[in-house]
Amino acid sequence: MSSYLDTLLNRQFAIAQGDAEPLPLPKFDTYTICNLRGDIGKTSLAFNLSYLADDILAVDACPQCNLTYFFDNDYLNNVHLTIYDMLLPAFVPGLGTASHVAKKISATNEFFEGKNSFYIPSDTQLYVLPSQVSNAIFQAKTITGTQQTEIVDAMLFSLRDNLIREMKDTKTSRCIIDTSPFFSGATHLALHACDALIVPVRTDQQSINSLSLLMKTLSDPASEFRRNMPSDQHCPKIQMIVLTHCGWSTVPGSRNRPNQQTKVYVEKVLDIIRQYITFFTSPDPLNHLLLLDDFLGTGRISSAKSKPIELLSEGESLTINRVRTEVNASVRKVQNQLKFIHSCIF
Ligand SMILES: Nc1ncnc2c1ncn2[C@@H]1O[C@H](COP(=O)(O)OP(=O)(O)OP(=O)(O)O)[C@@H](O)[C@H]1O
Ligand SMILES: [Mg+2]
């Protein structure tokens, strides 16, 4: 087995025990969780990392509203301003701006009691934002002179500028943005609203394809992202790729060895990191890949109760869709992995 894989697995073993050395990474205030594929763990990570950060603004930029549901199970009946109300005035002339959009999480999720954490709810209306954004940018580009630059910048940085105001209002110092699996619209704006990216990749080939697509989006001059750059050429770097749904060998004596599937995807992801290392926040590929075990029943219970994994204990059970589900024995390991990811970003 190659030495880089050994280094990575030894570190994962230390992380599982809760005694790994922190990685030598720069830290940022605002991260976007993004990869152009669904069901890979973006929202689960956004929810659990939001819990681990004590004062945070968590932003739901996905029209499915899954993160919003984690924070408020009754959000459909609770009338409030959403991210759509906040963004639309930047693209449709004549609309008044929406402010004080953030809501305190502890008001609707008891597990966040005592934390100065807020969230910006999403809205299914966000599904129509892509056409509004692209029409408005197209129109703006017909304007001649320096005004064009100012107008396009204001559009591309509309989410960033709104979040700066909301963070000031809520006295939060950190921000995590959850995105949809699609680039156009809110995800595009979320790439310009953050300092760096967290990229979940599931252990399957489609996730590798979507990682390649994301890297192309960030790097290819012909991509929609690169063709519409703001005047300062802002492009977020990647802080961390989190390989989700990892499994480990159950062969006796093979402790700390990934199963074959996990091993294959560790190698594929490391190849891509090496190829695009200038798009990462440090020059060492090994600083940018962390493994997160398959949550199994623990994840199902966390979702069903909107309860952060950090607060679950082994053996806790719940009947979900008539199936008795339990928090797995490996919950401590997953908690340590999540805490380590948190320590690498804030
Ligand atoms: N290691 C893991 N990391 C993240 N999610 C995991 C992991 N293991 C299992 N899961 C499960 O995988 C599912 C991931 O769903 P999640 O909603 O977080 O994905 P998503 O990327 O946000 O999807 P979408 O693009 O549809 O919004 C959840 O049911 C979660 O419990
Ligand atoms: Mg999601």
Side-chain angles (χ1 to χ4, degrees):
M1 191 172 292
S2 56
S3 66
Y4 69 81
L5 194 55
D6 276 337
T7 309
L8 189 108
L9 295 177
N10 288 338
R11 182 173 76 205
Q12 282 301 137
F13 188 69
I15 292 170
Q17 315 295 305
D19 52 28
E21 288 293 311
L23 293 176
L25 286 169
K27 302 286 167 62
F28 304 93
D29 295 333
T30 301
Y31 292 89
T32 290
I33 304 188
C34 175
N35 195 355
L36 305 175
R37 170 159 159 74
D39 206 31
I40 53 168
K42 297 182 295 296
T43 303
S44 305
L45 265 180
F47 176 64
N48 284 290
L49 292 174
S50 295
Y51 177 78
L52 293 173
D54 272 332
D55 76 298
I56 196 159
L57 179 64
V59 183
D60 190 352
C62 174
Q64 297 178 101
C65 306
N66 296 335
L67 186 64
T68 302
Y69 182 80
F70 266 115
F71 293 136
D72 178 6
N73 290 175
D74 202 25
Y75 78 95
L76 285 174
N77 293 317
N78 289 339
V79 180
H80 38 58
L81 291 171
T82 70
I83 189 170
Y84 188 68
D85 302 304
M86 202 173 78
L87 291 175
L88 205 55
F91 302 97
V92 178
L95 289 177
T97 52
S99 59
H100 296 94
V101 181
K103 296 173 71 76
K104 192 144 190 183
I105 300 176
S106 60
T108 45
N109 183 321
E110 57 176 329
F111 302 117
F112 283 70
E113 196 68 58
K115 290 186 183 269
N116 183 51
S117 296
F118 290 77
Y119 77 107
I120 306 262
S122 189
D123 191 326
T124 51
Q125 283 281 93
L126 219 50
Y127 279 118
V128 296
L129 191 71
S131 58
Q132 286 158 326
V133 171
S134 69
N135 284 342
I137 292 178
F138 181 80
Q139 298 275 332
K141 286 194 167 175
T142 62
I143 300 165
T144 50
T146 51
Q147 246 196 326
Q148 182 195 110
T149 313
E150 269 172 48
I151 294 172
V152 172
D153 278 3
M155 288 177 180
L156 293 176
F157 287 127
S158 55
L159 180 57
R160 180 195 71 179
D161 293 345
N162 274 287
L163 296 183
I164 290 171
R165 188 203 57 239
E166 294 286 329
M167 287 173 74
K168 212 166 150 209
D169 286 348
T170 54
K171 298 190 172 57
T172 45
S173 57
R174 292 145 173 188
C175 181
I176 282 187
I177 309 170
D178 183 28
T179 60
S180 81
F182 307 107
F183 170 78
S184 296
T187 304
H188 185 178
L189 302 180
L191 293 179
H192 287 307
C194 68
D195 306 309
L197 304 178
I198 300 164
V199 181
V201 173
R202 195 174 171 146
T203 48
D204 61 24
Q205 187 54 40
Q206 291 91 329
S207 292
I208 298 292
N209 298 346
S210 61
L211 175 61
S212 300
L213 181 64
L214 178 68
M215 297 318 305
K216 235 177 153 177
T217 300
L218 296 176
S219 63
D220 186 346
S223 76
E224 198 182 330
F225 176 71
R226 282 278 166 190
R227 279 190 288 111
N228 293 299
M229 289 300 267
S231 55
D232 68 358
Q233 302 296 307
H234 172 268
C235 175
K237 290 197 171 186
I238 299 176
Q239 180 84 338
M240 192 58 65
I241 292 188
V242 179
L243 192 63
T244 64
H245 299 79
C246 289
W248 298 85
S249 172
T250 51
V251 175
S254 65
R255 201 174 64 147
N256 197 32
R257 294 287 104 184
N259 65 21
Q260 194 51 30
Q261 185 182 353
T262 300
K263 185 169 172 268
V264 165
Y265 291 106
V266 165
E267 289 180 336
K268 287 188 184 210
V269 172
L270 272 172
D271 280 346
I272 294 175
I273 298 177
R274 272 202 219 91
Q275 189 189 340
Y276 287 98
I277 192 63
T278 56
F279 286 82
F280 287 75
T281 59
S282 92
D284 182 354
L286 279 174
N287 284 340
H288 300 289
L289 177 58
L290 290 176
L291 275 52
L292 186 55
D293 285 15
D294 195 325
F295 295 162
L296 305 167
T298 303
R300 289 192 287 280
I301 293 187
S302 168
S303 299
K305 292 186 169 178
S306 294
K307 187 172 179 179
I309 288 177
E310 177 62 17
L311 299 180
L312 293 173
S313 357
E314 183 184 341
E316 199 173 326
S317 71
L318 185 71
T319 302
I320 305 170
N321 296 329
R322 289 194 271 173
V323 178
R324 188 171 181 280
T325 309
E326 261 197 27
V327 173
N328 299 80
S330 59
V331 64
R332 175 68 56 204
K333 186 179 176 197
V334 168
Q335 287 168 343
N336 286 338
Q337 290 172 337
L338 286 166
K339 277 188 280 209
F340 191 79
I341 295 168
H342 175 257
S343 78
C344 293
I345 59 170
F346 292 129

